[in-house]
Amino acid sequence: MRTTRILMVIAAISLGAGLYLTFTSPTDRLQGEFTRIVNIHAPSMWVAFLAFGVTALASIMWLIFKRTAWDRLAEASVETGVIFTATGLFTGMVWGQAVWGRAWDWADPRMASTAVMFFVYIGYLALRKAIPDPIMRARRSAILGAIAVIQVPLVYFSVNLFRSLHQTQSIRPDGATMPDAMVVALLVNFVAFTLLYVALTAARIQVAKAEEERAAETVPAGDAVTTPMLSEVEDV
Amino acid sequence: MSFWDQAVEIARVDLQVERRIGDVLRIILPFAVVALLVFPLALGIDLAAITRIGPAVFWAIGVLFGMQVALRQAADDRPERRDLYALLGVDPAARFVGRSMSGSLLMLGFLLALMVATLLLYSPRLPEGWPIPAAAAILLTSIGLTELGTLAGEVTAGLRNRTALASLIVAPLAIPLVLGGAQTLESLARDTGILPWLLLLFATDLALAVAGVGLARPIEEASR
Amino acid sequence: MRLEPVGANVTLDEAGVSLGGLVVLRGISLSIGPAEVLGIAGPNGSGKTTLLRLLATLARPDQGSGRVLGATLGTAEVYAIRHDIGLIGHVPALIQELTLRENLQHAARLAGEDVSRIDRALRVVGLEAAADRKVGQSSHGMLRRAETARLLLTRPRLLLLDEAFSGLDISARELIDTLVERSVSAGGSVVMVSHDATQLASRADRIMHIASGRIEAAA
């Protein structure tokens, strides 16, 4: 509990610093103010990959050790990862609309493959939601988590291959040469987003624990029933 | 309890159950958006083509995946629930109307979300003043598609492969809805008058409503 | 519009039912008067449940005829009397995703009953503490109690119980007995079926034995 709170505070402070640098660093001549969006876009995408990587690892660990903690970590990490993927996709679309006049840049394969990855983990969460039994849920989602980590790189590879056959020019918010101040801002944001990921995942694990405890406190099915009040039947 | 009270109560509980299961939001909508993503990948990067096919892909995917919305798990009455409704004195027509109300609301939300995704992914070129005709077309299509899906769901209630079977029955019957929906914007772009298409949609909705209410009792008995 | 029964609440005359090409019931004739409890005993697969569904107007006779609460079976007349029939079947007729209380509220609203009576009904059946559990988290006994509460609310004139006492503890069985007594004292008819004739012996005014879809003996 305490550790989570401390993590939150540290994440908040570093995010504040990142945000400050984002708005004080110089901008690119061609893209103007929209350069700044890279400070949210790129760290979000990094955290998304980190989160899904952690999920894959936690899934495999669950399959080996069958410890509830691994399942909680997998679940928490997917939820955080999905939020950051959505943020990354959204900022990418805002940038595309502003600079390019099209929200979706089909010429950049990363956009499509990131979206596919996003839906893989939306499916993962839907699967979890559909299984009430905790052990069965952990087992099946660990299997899917492990399959996803094998399949997602293939998705990336296939989409990249597809793109190389349809070579077109594209400018992205990241990748261009940047002035030093922009690089510093970006680095600070990478650190801040990573800390935020750790804090959010830890908090989500706390919630999962609390939910499990609450479920365990519920009176067993039989005990919830009291003796019928037969004498009151006529009052109904 | 009056006919309308029963219909509203059934719609209310239907939405409550959907909120708890989340089939539409958690499963069907993401699946449909993935389908939107697959088309351009299959087509190859041709931005002009992607822009052009946007609305067509929306209607095709909207109708096909809309069937899944209409046939979602929450709308599947297990036999014991059908019996319960019968013995509570629920008018089978009220059940159809209630189901159509809750389903249309979900379908409308589904199609609107899909429309936003299409706008973002395909950047389609849209004629001036498109939002109101598009909203009207989507609303009327939602109602028709839900009525059709509800009827097909009843005809296939309790059968194996229900979802696929009902989709097979509905897809060809949904042609007027696809045409009406797609041609509304097409006519707006060509300035040839959108009214015939909106009327086609309205007439389809009305015909299906009459069929649903009129056939409610035979349908109710068909599963016995 | 309520159709008043003449004499008996239920009559069947040589009624037969086929399901999926199989003859399940044949030549069934019986009559049940007001304030009468009829027990039907028979082995598994003898057609007990189908007979109960025929009486509930949920199955239609393809031979012979029958009248339930004044409505001729197999005609549209049954729509007018269905709300007067209460059934406890094998599978609880409850919506999985709702709580027990929400299920009762739904049923009460659809039946046009006063929702404010639900709390009292829950207390009477001993479900006050468990009312906010979802159906999926409830035991067999809790679901039976919830169904009993529903029947207390809707006060059916024809009460049909399909193995309703199986798997229940004493207090739950007493509860269903009380439901039966209340129904009888209001002039209603009750039909209970079971594979176990001893369950029926103390409860029914009359017991019929059914085998292979035919009535074998009446006691």
Side-chain angles (χ1 to χ4, degrees), chain B residues 17-222:
Chain B
V17 169
E18 177 56 36
R19 208 178 58 214
R20 290 188 188 164
I21 307 184
D23 272 357
V24 176
L25 190 69
R26 272 172 216 278
I27 300 172
I28 303 169
L29 181 61
F31 190 18
V33 177
V34 172
L36 281 183
L37 273 168
V38 166
F39 260 87
L41 289 177
L43 188 70
I45 297 172
D46 176 348
L47 291 182
I50 291 173
T51 301
R52 207 167 50 243
I53 62 168
V57 174
F58 166 78
W59 285 108
I61 290 180
V63 167
L64 293 178
F65 285 77
M67 287 324 306
Q68 310 299 310
V69 176
L71 296 167
R72 69 200 182 282
Q73 194 195 333
D76 181 20
D77 278 348
R78 273 156 291 204
E80 59 277 9
R81 185 157 156 202
R82 301 172 78 88
D83 293 349
L84 173 69
Y85 281 166
L87 296 184
L88 286 170
V90 175
D91 187 332
R95 203 161 62 93
F96 171 77
V97 172
R99 275 289 147 77
S100 298
M101 289 197 294
S102 55
S104 298
L105 218 58
L106 288 168
M107 190 78 77
L108 182 64
F110 167 76
L111 287 178
L112 287 177
L114 198 66
M115 184 187 77
V116 171
T118 310
L119 290 177
L120 290 173
L121 291 174
Y122 289 73
S123 308
R125 216 168 292 124
L126 294 166
E128 208 142 300
W130 65 273
I132 291 173
I138 287 177
L139 174 68
L140 291 171
T141 308
S142 300
I143 296 170
L145 204 52
T146 306
E147 288 171 336
L148 207 48
T150 308
L151 285 171
E154 293 279 341
V155 174
T156 57
L159 300 182
R160 212 164 36 88
N161 289 337
R162 171 178 179 266
T163 311
L165 184 58
S167 302
L168 171 64
I169 294 170
V170 170
L173 293 175
I175 297 294
L177 297 169
V178 180
L179 282 178
Q183 291 305 310
T184 300
L185 282 193
E186 191 67 25
S187 308
L188 188 67
R190 294 181 182 189
D191 212 8
T192 51
I194 60 169
L195 205 59
W197 298 110
L198 289 178
L199 279 176
L200 170 70
L201 288 174
F202 183 73
T204 310
D205 292 359
L206 197 65
L208 288 168
V210 170
V213 171
L215 293 173
R217 282 188 178 184
I219 285 173
E220 141 82 18
E221 277 153 30

Side-chain angles (χ1 to χ4, degrees), chain C residues 51-65:
Chain C
L51 176 54
L52 217 51
R53 292 182 62 78
L54 178 67
L55 298 177
T57 75
L58 298 173
R60 15 172 72 230
D62 41 31
Q63 280 177 356
S65 62

Side-chain angles (χ1 to χ4, degrees), chain A:
Chain A
M1 251 345 229
R2 234 182 92 100
T3 326
T4 312
R5 215 166 284 160
I6 294 169
L7 279 170
M8 282 288 187
V9 172
I10 298 174
I13 293 169
S14 45
L15 272 178
L19 217 57
Y20 174 78
L21 289 173
T22 299
F23 284 102
T24 50
S25 68
T27 59
D28 182 272
R29 237 174 347 105
L30 289 172
Q31 301 170 39
E33 294 294 323
F34 286 101
T35 330
R36 301 191 199 282
I37 214 162
V38 70
N39 287 304
I40 299 171
H41 176 78
S44 294
M45 292 320 303
W46 145 248
V47 168
F49 282 104
L50 173 69
F52 296 141
V54 168
T55 301
L57 188 71
S59 297
I60 292 165
M61 295 305 266
W62 189 90
L63 288 172
I64 297 171
F65 297 109
K66 311 273 189 297
R67 293 265 300 274
T68 318
W70 292 116
D71 183 51
R72 279 192 215 119
L73 176 61
E75 179 188 31
S77 197
V78 166
E79 285 189 9
T80 327
V82 161
I83 294 168
F84 281 101
T85 315
T87 312
L89 285 171
F90 178 73
T91 46
M93 284 192 280
V94 170
W95 183 88
Q97 188 69 46
V99 175
W100 224 55
R102 280 186 90 105
W104 200 264
D105 182 2
W106 286 102
D108 187 328
R110 276 170 298 181
M111 208 100 172
S113 38
T114 304
V116 171
M117 179 177 78
F118 176 73
F119 286 109
V120 167
Y121 289 99
I122 290 284
Y124 174 97
L125 290 175
L127 177 72
R128 289 197 73 97
K129 172 83 180 168
I131 308 172
D133 180 71
I135 302 287
M136 190 196 282
R137 181 171 57 224
R139 178 171 296 120
R140 294 195 185 185
S141 40
I143 292 169
L144 181 60
I147 293 173
V149 78
I150 299 167
Q151 193 62 22
V152 164
L154 281 174
V155 169
Y156 266 77
F157 176 73
S158 65
V159 178
N160 268 303
L161 191 67
F162 162 82
R163 194 236 160 171
S164 65
L165 299 175
H166 298 85
Q167 201 71 33
T168 42
Q169 220 38 63
S170 168
I171 347 160
R172 294 295 308 158
D174 37 18
T177 48
M178 297 179 182
D180 286 350
M182 276 172 74
V183 174
V184 171
L186 194 55
L187 281 176
V188 171
N189 276 298
F190 266 96
V191 174
F193 272 63
T194 309
L195 288 168
L196 182 64
Y197 159 74
V198 175
L200 285 178
T201 307
R204 182 62 187 86
I205 289 173
Q206 297 287 343
V207 171
K209 273 188 192 162
E211 276 172 354
E212 282 164 28
E213 275 164 25
R214 229 188 93 208
E217 274 170 19
T218 321
V219 202
D223 296 357
V225 179
T226 48
T227 316
M229 316 280 275
L230 300 182
S231 56
E232 286 185 31
V233 159
E234 283 311 314
D235 300 340
V236 177

Side-chain angles (χ1 to χ4, degrees), chain A residues 218-230 232-236, chain C residues 117 120-121 123-124 126 129-130 133 142 145 152 155 171 174-175 178 182:
Chain A
T218 321
V219 202
D223 296 357
V225 179
T226 48
T227 316
M229 316 280 275
L230 300 182
E232 286 185 31
V233 159
E234 283 311 314
D235 300 340
V236 177
Chain C
R117 287 163 58 213
R120 232 174 308 156
R123 194 170 63 244
V124 167
R133 269 172 196 256
M142 288 161 77
R145 281 173 162 86
L152 287 173
R155 295 176 181 266
S171 63
E174 280 176 355
L175 182 65
T178 312
R182 196 182 77 163

